């Protein structure tokens, strides 16, 4: 596909629902003792994979666009799936399911697409095994024998909300208390939602304490817009001349707002307005306008707060004066693709001065870029980041695959060109 260029981007946009919260609303809704109404559900391929998996375990789920009703059957109400559960491209579905399936009275198996089959699962199978889980393989397909579980005291070697949540979900079935110690704070949507549902869970700094739960009360979930999707429009509005974009109703949970901090730091004109709270999650409207950006260093405990935004932050760095250094981001190597390698290879193609490092990249920004034929590696966030990058290239840019955007943002290109003129 040729990436069509816009000359400025202005207006107001509402991005689709948060991917992490949409997954959790279906998963926890399925385990609740009653029905959960979800509004603003993300109809992206990943979240639809989660729905499919739970339907295959006997949960009735009505989908009507962004409105979804999950008819929960209680913590012990899942049925043995008749076939291998298929999670598509979704790491969140795969890892969170491992936590739940480990504590069931039936056996199950999970696999996903080619990318999922390469993503490390040992980070979940290891702690779950310590709880008594029996899981064969460290990569998909995984074979899970339902077992009785017990609580553990576990220090996580990586900052990962997927790993944390897998352990929390297993703890709902485990005898005794589980204490999880995070090395850095990762997104806490699971903890917030479970608390609202009456689970015995509390957080104390980087420690999470959780005990077996008899009943999860259903709570309706109004999913805010995904800051990871809003990020593409935030950067677009900052780098395009004469632009001003407002993204309304964006989730700004502090465990997710690293991108706002970094863009501020880079000199961005970015404003949060109408800050409010919805079911424990903070929500705001975000307005950005064209700004002269400068380089920065991104490292340490901010990384989990912006991990999915690093490809688009790299794009912002291309148009920032001076050097941007991204460190401590090895986790990027095990995302939908190796996002350090993919970003460096693709940005180099159009003349960006960018160097790959062991745990990130160094970008010397503020130089002109030219057209290129980009590859997405089937990664939704690469497709959207490269589309933003292409806007300021001198010459034509193409994308080998635009369909992969549907994983988290099916209407991305439509929304993008509506803002452009
Ligand atoms: C997610 C956690 C993050 C993130 C992913 C969604 C979640 O992964 O990259 O897109 O919903 O828990 P890790 O937990 O592996 O960092």
């Amino acid at each position: 596909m040729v990436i069509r260029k816009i000359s400025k981007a202005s207006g107001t946009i509402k991005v689709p629902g948060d991917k992490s919260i949409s997954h959790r609303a279906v998963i926890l809704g399925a385990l609740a003792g009653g029905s959960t109404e979800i509004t603003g559900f993300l109809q992206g391929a990943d979240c639809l994979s989660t729905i499919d998996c739970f339907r295959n375990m006997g949960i009735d789920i009505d989908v009507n666009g962004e409105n979804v009703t999950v008819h929960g059957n209680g913590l012990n109400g899942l049925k043995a799936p008749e076939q291998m559960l298929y999670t598509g491209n979704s790491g969140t579905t795969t890892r969170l399911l491992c936590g739940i399936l480990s504590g069931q009275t039936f056996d199950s198996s999970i696999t996903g697409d080619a990318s999922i089959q390469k993503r490390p699962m040992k980070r979940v199978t290891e702690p779950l095994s310590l709880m008594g889980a029996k899981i064969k393989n460290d990569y998909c397909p995984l074979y899970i024998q339902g077992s009785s579980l017990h609580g553990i005291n576990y220090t996580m070697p990586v900052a990962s909300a997927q790993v944390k949540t897998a352990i929390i979900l297993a703890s709902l079935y485990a005898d005794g208390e589980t204490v999880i110690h995070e090395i850095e704070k990762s997104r806490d949507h699971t903890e917030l939602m479970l608390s609202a549902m009456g689970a015995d869970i509390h957080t104390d700094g980087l420690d999470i304490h959780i005990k077996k739960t008899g009943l999860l009360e259903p709570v309706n979930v109004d999913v805010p817009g995904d800051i990871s999707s809003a990020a593409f429009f935030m950067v677009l509005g900052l780098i395009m001349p004469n632009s001003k974009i407002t993204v309304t109703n964006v989730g700004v949970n502090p465990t997710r707002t690293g991108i706002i901090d970094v863009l501020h730091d880079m000199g961005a004109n970015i404003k949060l307005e109408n800050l409010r709270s919805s079911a424990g999650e903070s929500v705001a409207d975000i307005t950005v306008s064209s700004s002269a950006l400068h380089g920065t260093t991104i490292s340490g405990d901010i990384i989990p707060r912006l991990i999915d935004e690093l490809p688009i932050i790299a794009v912002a760095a291309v148009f920032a004066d001076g050097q941007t250094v991204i460190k401590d981001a090895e986790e990027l190597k095990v995302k939908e693709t190796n996002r350090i390698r993919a970003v460096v290879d693709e940005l180099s193609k159009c003349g960006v001065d960018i160097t790959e490092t062991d745990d990130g990249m160094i970008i010397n920004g503020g130089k002109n870029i030219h057209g290129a034929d980009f590859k997405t590696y089937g990664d939704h966030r690469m497709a959207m980041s490269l589309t933003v990058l292409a806007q300021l290239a001198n010459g034509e840019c193409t994308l080998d695959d635009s369909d992969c955007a549907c994983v988290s943002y099916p209407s991305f290109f439509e929304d993008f060109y509506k803002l452009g003129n």
Side-chain angles (χ1 to χ4, degrees):
M1 175 188 102
V2 174
I3 304 175
R4 191 153 49 87
K5 294 213 188 122
I6 55 180
S7 58
K8 65 173 188 167
S10 296
T12 297
I13 182 176
K14 189 167 174 288
V15 294
D18 187 276
K19 182 156 79 69
S20 295
I21 298 177
S22 295
H23 279 301
R24 284 156 175 82
V26 170
I27 293 173
L28 296 178
L31 302 179
S35 294
T36 296
E37 306 280 347
I38 310 172
T39 45
F41 179 79
L42 168 64
Q43 299 165 84
D46 272 12
C47 298
L48 297 176
S49 293
T50 292
I51 288 187
D52 257 11
C53 289
F54 280 92
R55 280 180 171 157
N56 283 327
M57 291 189 284
I59 301 297
D60 281 337
I61 304 177
D62 310 322
V63 180
N64 186 0
E66 290 185 352
N67 299 326
V68 171
T69 307
V70 183
H71 300 280
N73 224 357
L75 276 152
N76 297 306
L78 298 177
K79 297 205 176 76
E82 274 167 21
Q83 67 250 37
M84 185 174 274
L85 295 168
Y86 184 74
T87 59
N89 192 244
S90 177
T92 307
T93 313
T94 310
R95 294 190 175 121
L96 271 49
L97 271 178
C98 286
I100 294 173
L101 295 172
S102 295
Q104 300 301 315
T105 50
F106 54 79
D107 299 346
S108 53
S109 51
I110 318 182
T111 198
D113 68 7
S115 155
I116 276 294
Q117 292 179 39
K118 287 198 216 110
R119 295 186 68 184
M121 294 298 152
K122 197 165 177 187
R123 50 182 55 205
V124 285
T125 59
E126 203 159 71
L128 293 175
S129 301
L130 294 172
M131 299 177 79
K134 297 191 185 70
I135 306 179
K136 200 171 122 206
N137 293 342
D138 290 329
Y139 290 89
C140 280
L142 302 174
Y143 297 89
I144 305 173
Q145 200 180 322
S147 308
S148 40
L149 306 179
H150 52 80
I152 52 167
N153 202 314
Y154 189 70
T155 298
M156 292 184 35
V158 283
S160 161
Q162 292 179 356
V163 176
K164 172 175 68 173
T165 302
I167 305 171
I168 292 175
L169 293 172
S171 307
L172 297 173
Y173 296 93
D175 288 331
E177 189 187 41
T178 291
V179 183
I180 304 167
H181 180 73
E182 290 197 86
I183 44 168
E184 281 157 357
K185 182 93 176 155
S186 63
R187 65 193 69 191
D188 62 359
H189 308 298
T190 308
E191 295 91 306
L192 293 176
M193 210 179 278
L194 274 175
S195 254
M197 296 173 84
D200 192 345
I201 183 166
H202 70 270
T203 301
D204 178 12
L206 290 173
D207 289 343
I208 300 137
H209 298 252
I210 174 147
K211 287 191 190 142
K212 189 170 185 158
T213 303
L215 175 75
L216 292 178
E217 299 283 351
V219 289
N220 295 339
V221 181
D222 186 15
V223 183
D226 198 328
I227 190 165
S228 302
S229 298
F232 302 108
F233 296 103
M234 284 154 60
V235 172
L236 179 74
L238 293 172
I239 64 172
M240 296 288 293
N242 307 316
S243 295
K244 182 171 180 186
I245 300 178
T246 298
V247 194
T248 58
N249 199 45
V250 183
V252 288
N253 175 319
T255 60
R256 299 285 299 280
T257 49
I259 182 164
I260 295 175
D261 298 349
V262 162
L263 291 175
H264 259 142
D265 219 43
M266 295 174 81
N269 190 343
I270 176 167
K271 254 191 339 219
L272 264 64
E273 286 167 315
N274 199 10
L275 199 64
R276 56 211 183 267
S277 170
S278 167
E281 293 283 351
S282 309
V283 182
D285 302 335
I286 302 177
T287 300
V288 295
S289 46
S290 319
S291 303
L293 301 178
H294 50 79
T296 188
T297 295
I298 306 165
S299 64
D301 62 6
I302 198 169
I303 296 292
R305 296 179 51 233
L306 48 66
I307 188 73
D308 290 341
E309 290 68 75
L310 283 169
I312 189 67
I313 288 174
V315 170
V318 169
F319 304 105
D321 264 344
Q323 191 169 75
T324 294
V325 181
I326 300 175
K327 292 197 268 201
D328 304 324
E330 308 75 351
E331 274 299 297
L332 284 183
K333 294 181 185 167
V334 291
K335 293 295 175 191
E336 284 79 337
T337 187
N338 176 341
R339 284 187 181 153
I340 297 184
R341 176 71 45 82
V343 167
V344 170
D345 285 355
E346 298 315 299
L347 270 51
S348 300
K349 278 185 188 166
C350 59
V352 175
D353 178 351
I354 180 167
T355 311
E356 179 176 349
T357 61
D358 259 3
D359 61 350
M361 61 194 83
I362 300 170
I363 300 162
N364 290 306
K367 304 183 176 106
N368 286 337
I369 60 164
H370 52 77
D373 295 324
F374 292 129
K375 272 173 68 174
T376 65
Y377 308 87
D379 182 334
H380 52 132
R381 300 202 198 282
M382 287 298 295
M384 295 184 273
S385 300
L386 293 167
T387 301
V388 175
L389 175 76
Q391 300 308 315
L392 291 184
N394 298 314
E396 184 176 275
C397 292
T398 63
L399 211 52
D400 67 338
D401 167 23
S402 54
D403 290 349
C404 58
C406 76
V407 159
S408 64
Y409 198 158
S411 58
F412 172 75
F413 290 98
E414 209 181 306
D415 289 357
F416 187 92
Y417 288 113
K418 254 191 231 156
L419 274 184
N421 41 41

